[in-house]
Amino acid sequence: MKKIFHLLFLLSIITLFKPSHELSFNVIENINKLFNSMFFNPVELLFTLTKMKLQSADADFSCTLCQRLINAVTTTIREKYGFEGIQYYAELLCSVALDRGVCNTYISKYGPVFIDSFILRAGNEENLCHKLGFCPEGEETEDTYDYAIRLLKDKPKNKKREGVDYSAPTLKMIQLTDIHLDTKYVENGTVYCDEPVCCREPASTYSRKKSGKYGFLGRCDASVELLESFMDKAYELKPDFIIWTGDNSPHNSKNASQNDNYEASIIVKNMLDEKFKNEIPIYPALGNHEKYPSDLYIGDEAELLENYGQIFKDYFYEDQAFETFRKYGYYTEKYKDTNLRIVVLNCLICDTWNFYIIGGRHEAAKKEFIWLEEVLRQAEKNGEYVYLIDHFPINSNFQLTECAQRLRALLDRFDYIIRGFFSGHTHLDDISPVRTYFEPKPIININYIAPPLTTYPGRNPSFRQFILDSNTKNVIDYQQYRLNLTDANLKREANWYIVYNATQMFKVNDLTELDKIFKIDVDGDYIIQRYAEGKDEKKIVHNKKEINEAQCQIQTDTYHDFYVCAADTIFSKEYFFELLNDLSGEWVKTSE
């Protein structure tokens, strides 16, 4: 909650200036120094003094005064500034994390929802003042600590995950993620532009750099030729099944539509059908880019879910899975009548960038977690193993901390039956630990975070193939495949190759050796592979921030913990997402 006061204090400083694009960033730097001073934090001081003064007065008076102040602030924001007046300041704050031009595009689409939701939340002065401690009554919220206590109280103490059965046959599973297919991509296209996505217009005769057949290492998305080359390689590998973890449409945030997003998913689906001809199961998940504008999801959107349900219909092998997806965007079904249960979540429900949630719209997320617990309890009862699939990793800046904490509690409670947790989204070649809820140790699972097929924003295309124990369903190993884009464009031939085997990378026999896997030399091979997928590996230069982020990535399993570990100043991308988490708030307790 103190971060909300940081924001209000910052806005009060900025609003001393008239909207002008000549506002010096020296002002920002000076404010930053104030915030980070060891000797003087104006927000903390102002908040503490005000609270002490008010709480020493009559309780009813302090409550009333707080509510009137909140009401006055939100009324002033709404009436004096309006959206156009606020837009400039929002762009200024956004530009701390993103390019100013990108911010303008984002804010024009996301700004009205953000402001309406923010005023809705901040304007609920009764609850806000109750949370700040000035008023005795307000809405009760659900504490994730209490959630974990309730969930873990019946965790079996004598159940442990068995090791790999090396006598059993193996299964192969391919993960395809973050395709971002751009049907408007052109070879010999302009690679530098003022648009969100480039490589869509022919380059001039004088351009030194142009897009290639399979893509370009820059702000360009996947070409059709690139996706076709993946399909050929995937078919050659003969997987037993595929998990398709979302983000099929390009990064175009201008002049696009929801129909464009449907079209991207239809094209990918048709190519999978043409290549595999329904010979193997394919399990699709929604990514945040399946929605347009991306991320903005008000909850259980009937038309959106019905349309995607019809697109993916052939991939729902049980009627209940199809019906659940059409209603909520998540589903579960068993793999080929085995004891392996696939559980697919709807990432939009727990999306930090989904500004509708700031207004207190948590019902969709609460329903998903009630459903997920029921599914896991039934799987436990039936003696099934589970693969959990979510587009967002557990410690992603797009995964709401409230959701991540509940996920962590569920992964702890059902650790002996959940055999894999698979995500994408970050466009990085990664893994993340999952620890027990109340202790920093032991590590109980791995969140496998696969890199993307797209080249955006400058990475060689990648996909993963997992080797699985068909008996215990443990993950034995995975191979990281990559395409050297420069070489492929030069030779006009896509030669996908194995960059590394995970067991060799982490020096283990199989991927159940969790403690050994996460004892990583962060200056060694793992970090090189983590940052090399988009660049010439001989030219990698690691700065201190990259190394710090990599260390934090393998030490944390919620975004809040990652933020505490990795953030260096209040004016950082990490702080921006932490602020959004704080604004989204705790979930209101459902009345019994």
Side-chain angles (χ1 to χ4, degrees):
M1 183 55 67
K2 291 175 183 176
K3 287 180 284 298
I4 294 179
F5 277 90
H6 283 171
L7 178 62
L8 292 174
F9 181 81
L10 176 60
L11 289 174
S12 69
I13 294 293
I14 292 175
T15 50
L16 293 175
F17 301 88
K18 293 182 180 180
S20 166
H21 291 283
E22 296 178 358
L23 180 60
S24 170
F25 269 87
N26 289 331
V27 175
I28 300 297
E29 291 175 3
N30 289 333
I31 297 170
N32 187 34
K33 289 177 182 177
L34 283 175
F35 273 116
N36 291 283
S37 169
M38 293 176 60
F39 305 101
F40 177 62
N41 188 322
V43 176
E44 298 283 352
L45 182 63
L46 179 63
F47 176 58
T48 303
L49 290 176
T50 304
K51 189 171 181 179
M52 288 173 60
K53 181 68 175 176
L54 287 175
Q55 288 184 336
S56 67
D58 179 78
D60 290 339
F61 168 75
S62 62
C63 178
T64 301
L65 180 57
C66 175
Q67 291 179 4
R68 288 181 177 177
L69 285 171
I70 296 294
N71 182 267
V73 170
T74 54
T75 301
T76 300
I77 291 173
R78 187 187 296 111
E79 295 180 356
K80 182 178 179 181
Y81 292 100
F83 175 63
E84 290 185 3
I86 295 171
Q87 184 172 358
Y88 169 74
Y89 302 121
E91 286 180 21
L92 185 63
L93 288 172
C94 172
S95 63
V96 172
L98 302 170
D99 179 82
R100 189 69 178 268
V102 174
C103 287
N104 179 272
T105 300
Y106 271 120
I107 288 167
S108 65
K109 295 182 182 299
Y110 295 82
V113 176
F114 177 85
I115 291 168
D116 288 346
S117 296
F118 178 75
I119 291 176
L120 179 64
R121 189 166 192 83
N124 189 341
E125 56 266 21
E126 180 180 339
N127 290 322
L128 188 55
C129 291
H130 168 67
K131 189 164 182 63
L132 293 173
F134 295 126
C135 296
E137 296 182 358
E139 290 178 333
E140 250 190 296
T141 56
E142 293 185 354
D143 193 322
T144 54
Y145 183 91
D146 292 339
Y147 175 86
I149 288 285
R150 191 269 301 168
L151 193 65
L152 290 165
K153 67 181 180 181
D154 68 343
K155 179 179 178 178
K157 295 182 179 179
N158 59 342
K159 299 282 189 180
K160 300 294 181 184
R161 177 192 293 215
E162 64 266 46
V164 170
D165 180 358
Y166 286 103
S167 66
T170 57
L171 297 170
K172 293 191 292 185
M173 177 186 80
I174 283 178
Q175 181 179 1
L176 169 63
T177 194
D178 296 273
I179 302 167
H180 294 287
L181 176 66
D182 189 0
T183 57
K184 296 180 181 178
Y185 178 96
V186 295
E187 189 175 357
N188 296 317
T190 301
V191 297
Y192 303 117
C193 67
D194 295 328
E195 301 298 317
V197 180
C198 303
C199 299
R200 290 183 153 200
E201 299 291 337
S204 71
T205 308
Y206 306 102
S207 297
R208 295 184 62 187
K209 287 191 175 181
K210 301 178 183 180
S211 57
K213 176 180 179 180
Y214 296 104
F216 177 77
L217 292 177
R219 213 166 68 217
C220 303
D221 272 320
S223 67
V224 172
E225 286 81 5
L226 173 61
L227 183 57
E228 286 175 341
S229 75
F230 160 79
M231 295 291 175
D232 291 340
K233 185 64 180 180
Y235 185 74
E236 176 190 314
L237 293 173
K238 304 257 184 261
D240 293 284
F241 62 102
I242 292 174
I243 56 173
W244 174 16
T245 49
D247 272 12
N248 307 317
S249 58
H251 287 90
N252 182 33
S253 54
K254 291 173 63 176
N255 306 317
S257 69
Q258 185 59 58
N259 285 334
D260 293 333
N261 287 12
Y262 294 142
E263 181 187 6
S265 291
I266 290 169
I267 292 172
V268 177
K269 198 261 184 185
N270 288 342
M271 292 176 72
L272 284 166
D273 289 349
E274 182 180 350
K275 184 60 67 174
F276 290 97
K277 299 180 176 60
N278 295 319
E279 295 172 359
I280 62 171
I282 296 173
Y283 301 99
L286 293 175
N288 56 310
H289 280 268
E290 267 58 86
K291 181 70 171 61
Y292 186 84
S294 60
D295 308 282
L296 293 181
Y297 179 80
I298 202 164
D300 302 345
E301 296 188 19
E303 182 179 359
L304 180 86
L305 298 178
E306 175 65 29
N307 288 336
Y308 277 114
Q310 293 302 326
I311 292 170
F312 300 144
K313 188 174 182 179
D314 294 343
Y315 299 155
F316 298 113
Y317 310 105
E318 301 173 20
D319 290 341
Q320 59 79 23
F322 179 47
E323 293 304 319
T324 303
F325 181 89
R326 290 170 67 191
K327 289 181 181 178
Y328 309 114
Y330 46 79
Y331 67 97
T332 181
E333 53 190 355
K334 291 172 69 174
Y335 165 62
K336 283 189 173 180
D337 299 320
T338 66
N339 64 343
L340 174 60
R341 177 161 294 281
I342 308 294
V343 181
V344 180
L345 302 182
N346 179 356
C347 73
L348 290 161
I349 288 172
C350 286
D351 189 339
T352 303
W353 204 272
N354 180 10
F355 296 148
Y356 285 114
I357 296 175
I358 292 174
R361 297 178 174 94
H362 302 123
E363 288 307 311
K366 290 166 72 173
K367 282 194 294 187
E368 181 175 45
F369 276 92
I370 291 170
W371 169 84
L372 178 56
E373 182 181 341
E374 290 173 352
V375 167
L376 292 173
R377 288 192 180 280
Q378 192 61 46
E380 180 180 56
K381 183 178 178 180
N382 295 342
E384 297 170 346
Y385 301 121
V386 172
Y387 286 171
L388 190 63
I389 296 169
D390 191 359
H391 179 69
F392 294 151
I394 193 170
N395 66 350
S396 163
N397 52 14
F398 274 68
Q399 179 83 264
L400 280 173
T401 296
E402 286 290 311
C403 293
Q405 289 173 335
R406 284 165 172 77
L407 267 177
R408 184 178 173 188
L410 285 164
L411 285 157
D412 186 354
R413 167 61 182 81
F414 299 98
D415 65 339
Y416 72 101
I417 66 169
I418 297 177
R419 296 298 159 92
F421 181 15
F422 306 93
S423 305
H425 176 70
T426 64
H427 292 209
L428 286 172
D429 176 1
D430 244 330
I431 60 171
S432 178
V434 178
R435 295 173 171 83
T436 52
Y437 191 88
F438 293 108
E439 300 291 338
K441 293 181 180 180
I443 297 170
I444 54 175
N445 219 317
I446 298 176
N447 188 180
Y448 296 100
I449 307 166
L453 194 72
T454 184
T455 58
Y456 187 101
R459 305 188 184 284
N460 282 310
S462 299
F463 71 91
R464 278 182 185 171
Q465 176 175 252
F466 292 86
I467 309 301
L468 315 169
D469 174 359
S470 63
N471 182 15
T472 67
K473 306 303 184 294
N474 281 306
V475 179
I476 299 174
D477 201 356
Y478 70 80
Q479 284 101 35
Q480 185 60 59
Y481 280 85
R482 188 177 299 158
L483 180 67
N484 184 316
L485 198 63
T486 303
D487 182 69
N489 285 335
L490 184 64
K491 296 178 179 177
R492 302 189 65 77
E493 182 180 358
N495 294 310
W496 292 89
Y497 65 99
I498 296 176
V499 186
Y500 67 88
N501 289 289
T503 51
Q504 293 176 2
M505 169 75 73
F506 302 123
K507 299 179 176 59
V508 293
N509 295 314
D510 59 65
L511 300 187
T512 65
E513 299 179 44
L514 302 177
D515 288 337
K516 289 183 180 179
I517 290 170
F518 287 98
K519 287 180 179 177
I520 297 170
D521 174 11
V522 294
D523 293 317
D525 290 344
Y526 175 72
I527 298 305
I528 291 175
Q529 295 300 342
R530 171 179 160 83
Y531 287 104
E533 75 268 23
K535 308 167 187 177
D536 183 334
E537 296 176 23
K538 295 179 181 178
K539 297 179 181 177
I540 297 296
V541 176
H542 300 305
N543 60 41
K544 187 179 292 186
K545 181 175 174 60
E546 282 183 337
I547 295 298
N548 182 46
E549 286 183 352
Q551 289 174 317
C552 293
Q553 180 72 38
I554 61 174
Q555 293 169 357
T556 60
D557 45 15
T558 68
Y559 181 69
H560 174 73
D561 292 339
F562 176 82
Y563 160 74
V564 171
C565 178
D568 48 5
T569 72
I570 189 171
F571 290 103
S572 65
K573 180 176 66 176
E574 289 80 16
Y575 183 87
F576 182 74
F577 280 99
E578 176 70 359
L579 176 62
L580 289 177
N581 259 294
D582 202 53
L583 287 173
S584 296
E586 296 176 331
W587 300 357
V588 175
K589 184 174 287 187
T590 304
S591 56
E592 299 295 336

